[in-house]
Amino acid sequence: LNKGTQCIYITLGVEGVFYCSTDNHGFYTPPPIRVVNATGAGDAFMAGVVFASLNQYTIQETVRFSAAAAGLTLSGESTVNPDMSRFLIEQTLKNQGDNI
């Protein structure tokens, strides 16, 4: 952060995500899921970060959105969930009792 980075996300697998910005920091633990295929989960998380950042989500919203995208990837057989969409991610969050 001292060198100009705006946001930091450190994914810790099943243990969650540490996030930090100049204004905020914390730890997010997503609900447990059954992992079918871990390939692509990090890419899905990063895609969620980019999407959320472009849509001006807060850092907390970004980490929840991104973790939900990664979770959808982890729970499917394909490297890229063929049903992945903003709507599906938001529905997943809503089903978890977490709205953005």
Side-chain angles (χ1 to χ4, degrees):
L1 293 173
N2 292 336
K3 298 203 181 258
T5 299
Q6 299 297 309
C7 296
I8 297 169
Y9 303 92
I10 301 173
T11 57
L12 304 166
V14 297
E15 301 203 17
V17 181
F18 172 78
Y19 60 92
C20 185
S21 70
T22 54
D23 301 327
N24 206 317
H25 70 279
F27 189 80
Y28 175 72
T29 305
I33 59 165
R34 185 176 148 268
V35 176
V36 175
N37 182 0
T39 305
D43 296 324
F45 184 90
M46 190 65 222
V49 168
V50 171
F51 176 86
S53 297
L54 290 172
N55 286 279
Q56 301 177 345
Y57 286 22
T58 67
I59 192 167
Q60 293 94 344
E61 291 168 337
T62 298
V63 76
R64 291 191 317 264
F65 185 89
S66 301
L72 287 167
T73 299
L74 289 166
S75 64
E77 292 185 21
S78 300
T79 300
V80 177
N81 185 322
D83 298 323
M84 185 71 72
S85 67
R86 178 183 191 170
F87 177 78
L88 182 59
I89 295 168
E90 290 173 349
Q91 281 301 117
T92 300
L93 290 167
K94 186 175 181 181
N95 292 342
Q96 296 170 357
D98 191 1
N99 291 314
I100 290 182

